[in-house]
Amino acid sequence: MMLKSITESFATTIHGLKVGHLTDRVIQRSKRMILDTLGAGFLGTSTEVFHKASQYSKIYSSNITSTVWGRPDIRLPPTYAAFVNGVAIHSMDFDDTWHPATHPSGAVLPVLTALAEALPRSTKFSGLDLLLAFNVGIEVQGRLLHFAKEAKDIPKRFHPPSVVGTLGSAAAASKFLGLSLTKCQEALAIAVSHAGAPMANAATQTKPLHIGNAAKHGIEAAFLAMLGLQGNKQVLDLEAGFGAFYANYSPKVLPNLDSYSWLLDQQDVAFKRFPAHLSTHWVADAAASVRKNLVAETALLPIDYIKRIVLRIPDVQYVNRPFPDSEHEARHSFQYVACAMLLDGGITVPSFHECQINRPQVRELLSKVELEYPPDNLPSFNTLYCEISVTLKDGATFTHRSDTFYGHWREPLSQEDLEEKFRANASKMLSCDTVESLIKIVENLEDLEDCSVLTTLLKGPSPPEVASNSSAYNNSITNLS
């Protein structure tokens, strides 16, 4: 039967996909995404933006509540648990990245853990149920971004997770809740009216809210659709809807259950090794190589002998921040990441603490940085490169170009390194035993009969332990500064 609209095509896919459609590669890749996202979320509960979002969300109460990851002292209605967990995931810009550019997991996973815990105990969700709904949410985002040239231009106007993440969240919630085809279509229509946030708020405390809002609004859209709220069933087709993005669509990416091929089967995602905008990872990779020509591994960088630093990068203005004043600006600064890597020989979580950003040595190096935009260096995570040249006062110049970095989908993190990243992030809030249990559960998620085993572990330690862990983390940052 010929589908009547783009919107109906997506709804048919959301409703029609089954566990049997999942391939081994999709299952393995999505489990890696889930583990990495949980780690970023646990680490993010130590941030100021998480604290503000969670304090705000406490004004809402309900008899039905869900866990805030790693915070047993905070329980919230499922929509707001998803909101603050989404904020935590993106609070350090440490979550995964896909192509075309978006952060796919943060808008989806908090929705599913919140629903798995909040729905009646008579409703038991398996690990495969979670994996299927998770991948439906990821797939919808990918298809929406690949759909047309206009869709690929979304990042020029909006932060993509606030657009496609909101619809992906609604799709995942709809699948998990078992909505009918018609109600899946209504959920998409409702979600569109919640979608969109400007790129102007990049590098501010507001940016993490985009992921949290996408998660929250997706649950709301699915719940409202369940209650019979109706929207325009052609919302993705009409110019007055999102047709501006999808009017000139490519039939090749229209979901088709008769010959289904997951986008995640075709391309992995990027996992970050330090918490900053993905494009800065090319800069860090190039700067690390140049540093080896300047100093021995443990020696201090001879700042006084450096005359000039040139970064040849794509023209991405919101990652052009010559003198960042906050951690969020530093995470979106080619210049800062290059200088921090040259100076310290590594980028870590504390590298973005304000006391590190404002070091005199950093400021002196930043004053020597110049940017160049080669015409062939386009702002695409698939093709961009970074070249750094450091010229000394004696005229010697050292140059290195990075075409990719370890963690990019072309050079994925090993499972061992992904698990080490998770341990480093989650151990700020969880005991070692809980961390290892979570790794094992996610590793065998497709065999998990009841997701409550997972959600119980996400609660974290008792409140006294939370205070102790938070104090230890703050002290570690102070000692590094």
Side-chain angles (χ1 to χ4, degrees):
M1 183 182 71
M2 181 71 68
L3 294 176
K4 296 179 180 178
S5 71
I6 298 169
T7 315
E8 185 178 351
S9 174
F10 274 90
T12 299
T13 299
I14 295 166
H15 179 260
L17 281 171
K18 307 296 182 188
V19 164
H21 286 99
L22 293 171
T23 66
D24 289 343
R25 178 182 288 180
V26 165
I27 288 174
Q28 293 305 316
R29 285 180 171 174
S30 57
K31 288 191 297 185
R32 284 163 58 84
M33 294 165 72
I34 288 169
L35 187 68
D36 188 69
T37 303
L38 289 173
F42 284 123
L43 180 64
T45 61
S46 64
T47 62
E48 184 180 355
V49 63
F50 167 84
H51 175 72
K52 291 176 179 176
S54 60
Q55 288 299 110
Y56 155 73
S57 297
K58 285 180 183 178
I59 68 174
Y60 298 95
S61 61
S62 171
N63 293 328
I64 302 172
T65 60
S66 299
T67 293
V68 175
W69 299 349
R71 293 283 181 164
D73 55 322
I74 307 176
R75 292 193 63 84
L76 296 170
T79 51
Y80 283 91
F83 168 69
V84 297
N85 286 331
V87 169
I89 288 165
H90 197 56
S91 63
M92 291 188 180
D93 220 311
F94 214 178
D95 44 333
D96 55 21
T97 305
W98 212 10
H99 177 78
T102 196
H103 303 282
S105 299
V108 174
L109 186 59
V111 170
L112 302 178
T113 60
L115 289 176
E117 189 176 10
L119 292 175
R121 293 190 178 275
S122 58
T123 305
K124 186 169 73 172
F125 296 98
S126 69
L128 273 174
D129 292 329
L130 188 147
L131 281 166
L132 177 60
F134 178 82
N135 278 288
V136 166
I138 300 302
E139 183 74 4
V140 164
Q141 294 179 70
R143 297 272 170 176
L144 288 169
L145 281 171
H146 280 82
F147 214 55
K149 179 183 182 300
E150 290 83 357
K152 293 178 181 178
D153 287 341
I154 285 175
K156 294 180 180 178
R157 299 175 57 193
F158 299 109
H159 189 209
S162 73
V163 178
V164 299
T166 304
L167 275 72
S169 168
S174 298
K175 189 63 183 177
F176 210 52
L177 294 169
L179 299 195
S180 68
L181 171 60
T182 299
K183 291 190 183 298
C184 287
Q185 201 165 346
E186 302 291 9
L188 289 176
I190 297 165
V192 167
S193 283
H194 287 302
M199 287 301 297
N201 271 324
T204 72
Q205 285 190 337
T206 297
K207 188 188 177 198
L209 301 187
H210 300 172
I211 299 284
N213 282 330
K216 175 169 74 79
H217 292 323
I219 290 185
E220 289 176 342
F223 281 160
L224 290 168
M226 283 181 69
L227 293 171
L229 189 72
Q230 297 179 354
N232 193 307
K233 292 181 175 60
Q234 292 185 311
V235 73
L236 297 179
D237 301 72
L238 300 175
E239 183 73 21
F242 266 15
F245 295 139
Y246 304 118
N248 300 315
Y249 68 88
S250 168
K252 292 181 180 179
V253 296
L254 201 68
N256 181 0
L257 289 176
D258 293 334
S259 57
Y260 206 78
S261 176
W262 299 88
L263 293 175
L264 194 56
D265 231 340
Q266 301 166 36
Q267 180 176 285
D268 205 346
V269 300
F271 297 106
K272 301 176 181 179
R273 300 191 71 190
F274 59 86
H277 189 273
L278 191 70
S279 61
T280 66
H281 288 62
W282 277 272
V283 172
D285 185 64
S289 295
V290 168
R291 190 181 193 274
K292 293 176 182 177
N293 293 310
L294 299 175
V295 294
E297 187 172 345
T298 58
L300 296 175
L301 186 74
I303 297 175
D304 292 343
Y305 290 98
I306 294 177
K307 179 180 180 181
R308 183 179 180 223
I309 302 170
V310 178
L311 304 181
R312 299 178 184 93
I313 54 175
D315 187 3
V316 183
Q317 285 305 308
Y318 75 93
V319 197
N320 173 11
R321 299 182 187 274
F323 294 95
D325 291 324
S326 70
E327 61 170 294
H328 296 281
E329 288 190 354
R331 297 183 201 283
H332 293 75
S333 172
F334 285 121
Q335 296 93 327
Y336 175 75
V337 169
C339 291
M341 179 59 81
L342 287 172
L343 185 63
D344 302 325
I347 306 288
T348 62
V349 171
S351 297
F352 298 94
H353 194 270
E354 287 191 16
C355 62
Q356 299 284 47
I357 297 166
N358 293 319
R359 288 176 292 169
Q361 306 97 307
V362 170
R363 293 292 167 175
E364 184 178 348
L365 273 184
L366 286 170
S367 68
K368 300 178 180 185
V369 175
E370 302 172 19
L371 302 185
E372 294 181 359
Y373 305 113
D376 67 332
N377 198 359
L378 302 178
S380 164
F381 290 148
N382 248 0
T383 61
L384 74 81
Y385 64 87
C386 170
E387 186 172 278
I388 180 170
S389 294
V390 176
T391 301
L392 305 182
K393 290 183 177 178
D394 63 6
T397 298
F398 300 93
T399 300
H400 186 82
R401 169 171 162 161
S402 173
D403 292 297
T404 192
F405 62 89
Y406 183 47
H408 190 275
W409 48 80
R410 287 192 297 269
E411 194 177 338
L413 289 185
S414 68
Q415 186 63 24
E416 180 182 3
D417 285 341
L418 188 77
E419 290 177 4
E420 281 306 305
K421 177 186 173 182
F422 176 76
R423 289 186 181 96
N425 288 344
S427 63
K428 301 295 187 295
M429 296 303 301
L430 305 178
S431 69
C432 291
D433 287 344
T434 302
V435 169
E436 295 306 316
S437 294
L438 277 169
I439 291 174
K440 289 179 181 177
I441 284 177
V442 174
E443 181 182 356
N444 299 289
L445 194 54
E446 66 269 42
D447 300 321
L448 188 67
E449 294 183 359
D450 188 348
C451 279
S452 64
V453 177
L454 172 64
T455 56
T456 298
L457 289 174
L458 298 181
K459 295 176 183 179
S462 63
E465 289 179 276
V466 170
S468 175
N469 286 350
S470 297
S471 174
Y473 178 62
N474 291 333
N475 288 338
S476 71
I477 291 178
T478 301
N479 292 335
L480 283 167
S481 60

